[in-house]
Amino acid sequence: MDAHPHARHPLPGPAQSTYASDPPPGPLDIANPADCLALVRHTFGGLPQESLIVIGLLDGCTGGHMRIDLQPALQEPFTCARLIADCLAGEGSSPAPEAAMLMLIGDEAPSQTQDEAWRCCLEALRIVLEAEYCVRIVQTWFLAADHVRDPLCADPACCGLPGRGIGELRIPTLGGLPNGLPGREPAPLEKAAATFLQRAPVADPRIEALLADLRTRNAAHPLPEPRQLRHRLQAWDLALARAAAAPEQGRGIDAAAPRSEDQTATPEEPLAQAQNLIKLLEQLHTGFERDLLIPLATLGLDHAMAGLRHREGHLVSPPEREEAAMLQRYAASFLGETRSRPDWERVDGLEAVLNALVPYARGVEREHLLCLMAWIEWARGRGTAAGSFIDRCLSEFPDNELSRIIERLMQLKGVCLWARTKQHSWSWTRTTGPRPD
């Protein structure tokens, strides 16, 4: 299941064109199948297979996107309809949409039997969304194999079975991100793990050699464990802060100061970079140290340190009120249940730093890197992307526990609570900017 609680794409006024082009001449038109296909493709990085898509509409713009697997929706239409309605227009959805556009996508060729099953699902959604949540369904598209049609269109010449061939449509390209932010067409969510690994930087042979030497040296002369943990957390905190402050340079985690163009690297710089990298990589050696990165990214260094103090048994019993509150939020961060917006800029920074570590991560480091990415995508509300990281992690490391826990969370809880609360969600932050809790 994927939830994009907020993504603003303008829709047309009465006098604007309803014909798609490449790129579109103006706002999108939900009565035009080409525009709707472009919107779904842009939102989900492609046309998802076997899916039910619901896009909320508010004040002339799209205002919430959801995708769930089609077969469960066909088998339990009212159960899925209530889940969708609660995520789209229930508690935490403010500003809730006033209307919705639906798209059912299947791989089988259109048929009368398929049409009847899909209409039952559509009717369940209509009853729940309109009667219980006051969200009108104003447009529906059935996309079966390579044909698209409006099941509510009364003109059989226009939308009778099998529908209009997709090849006949001029599907526009939606460039960049909403609100004019720079960006590119997103990759398909089911390929998120492969895309993440492919875009990782190429390993520097000098850094690799230095890392090998540092690994050997650190294994032979380890620092006291509490001191190591604190040093590594501080290194990660600095790396996340830098990545969050300069997202366009998010993969740069060098410890050295920036140079001007006419300056050359000194022999000390690769060593400084390797020393910084080894601190970051060693944080991925155990499950507990890996898990500290979740509150570190979402809440900050003070909460991660509180969790570390609790683990080391350095807390007074019972802890003071402020420390107890931090520990509660520390624990809640793993399930996205802090009831406040996490620091998504630092979470994006965590992804950037993990991506920079890909060429140097070995064994358990790579294992924990992959399952952390699965958690990040689940917290963002991108269940398909999380699933791609889970599959990749378990294919390489079949005994990874965190991946299986996240998979179970997706089955039991569905969309992460952060993603279900619109103004706390990752997609809201990307399109509107950070807001105070």
Side-chain angles (χ1 to χ4, degrees), residues 44 58 74 80 108 142 147 151 191-192 201 205 210 224 232 254 259 265 271 277 293 307 344 349 395-396 437:
F44 298 97
L58 178 65
L74 297 178
C80 287
E108 294 183 2
F142 284 0
H147 289 81
K191 297 182 179 179
L210 289 166
R232 289 199 289 267
D254 301 342
R259 302 189 307 271
L271 178 58
L277 282 168
L293 296 178
W344 288 120
S395 70
E396 296 185 27
D437 295 336

Side-chain angles (χ1 to χ4, degrees), residues 16-179:
Q16 292 171 314
S17 171
T18 60
Y19 295 96
S21 62
D22 190 8
L28 300 176
D29 177 12
I30 61 171
N32 185 315
D35 279 12
C36 287
L37 289 171
L39 173 60
V40 171
R41 185 179 66 184
H42 179 73
T43 302
F44 298 97
L47 292 176
Q49 295 181 322
E50 295 291 321
S51 296
L52 167 60
I53 305 291
V54 183
I55 295 181
L57 309 173
L58 178 65
D59 296 333
C61 292
T62 62
H65 304 154
M66 285 200 67
R67 186 212 68 84
I68 68 171
D69 292 341
L70 181 61
Q71 287 308 311
L74 297 178
Q75 293 166 3
E76 298 287 344
F78 279 96
T79 300
C80 287
R82 292 186 187 283
L83 173 63
I84 290 169
D86 186 53
C87 289
L88 197 70
E91 183 181 0
S93 65
S94 179
E98 59 188 359
M101 187 276 286
L102 273 57
M103 183 177 290
L104 281 70
I105 304 175
D107 296 331
E108 294 183 2
S111 66
Q112 191 63 42
T113 301
Q114 179 197 70
D115 183 70
E116 292 172 359
W118 287 21
R119 284 179 182 272
C120 288
C121 180
L122 174 60
E123 180 63 11
L125 283 162
R126 187 192 65 77
I127 290 172
V128 175
L129 282 171
E130 294 187 1
E132 299 186 25
Y133 289 82
C134 298
V135 176
R136 296 176 297 111
I137 297 176
V138 294
Q139 181 65 59
T140 302
W141 294 103
F142 284 0
L143 175 59
D146 56 354
H147 289 81
V148 62
R149 64 192 185 86
D150 180 350
L152 303 182
C153 177
D155 185 355
C158 173
C159 292
L161 286 170
R164 187 175 177 184
I166 294 180
E168 303 173 20
L169 305 176
R170 296 178 62 197
I171 302 176
T173 298
L174 306 182
L177 297 172
N179 286 357

Side-chain angles (χ1 to χ4, degrees), residues 191-340:
K191 297 182 179 179
T195 302
F196 172 83
L197 295 172
Q198 289 167 3
R199 75 166 189 261
V202 177
D204 184 331
R206 299 172 303 168
I207 300 297
E208 285 187 302
L210 289 166
L211 281 173
D213 181 61
L214 288 170
R215 290 180 196 274
T216 302
R217 190 185 310 172
N218 288 357
H221 305 286
L223 291 172
E225 188 64 18
R227 183 180 171 190
Q228 280 185 312
L229 283 171
R230 281 167 171 73
H231 281 186
R232 289 199 289 267
L233 273 179
Q234 289 164 354
W236 268 96
D237 184 58
L238 179 59
L240 296 185
R242 286 176 171 172
E248 70 281 359
Q249 301 172 358
R251 289 186 236 170
I253 54 174
D254 301 342
R259 302 189 307 271
S260 61
E261 293 183 0
D262 58 346
Q263 288 179 308
T264 57
T266 65
E268 291 79 13
E269 285 186 22
L271 178 58
Q273 293 175 29
Q275 289 171 333
N276 188 48
L277 282 168
I278 201 69
K279 291 180 185 177
L280 302 179
L281 288 166
E282 287 180 345
Q283 188 71 29
L284 301 176
H285 282 185
T286 70
F288 172 69
E289 292 171 283
R290 171 206 66 203
D291 291 349
L292 284 173
L293 296 178
I294 290 174
L296 179 69
T298 57
L299 302 174
L301 182 60
D302 54 346
H303 287 77
M305 287 294 190
L308 182 57
R309 288 193 297 271
H310 181 70
R311 169 67 176 260
E312 294 170 350
H314 293 168
L315 295 175
V316 297
S317 183
E320 295 180 0
R321 180 179 299 179
E322 183 178 351
E323 186 84 359
M326 281 200 296
L327 285 172
Q328 287 179 346
R329 286 171 55 79
Y330 168 92
S333 67
F334 294 96
L335 299 178
E337 295 179 353
T338 60
R339 300 191 178 277
S340 61

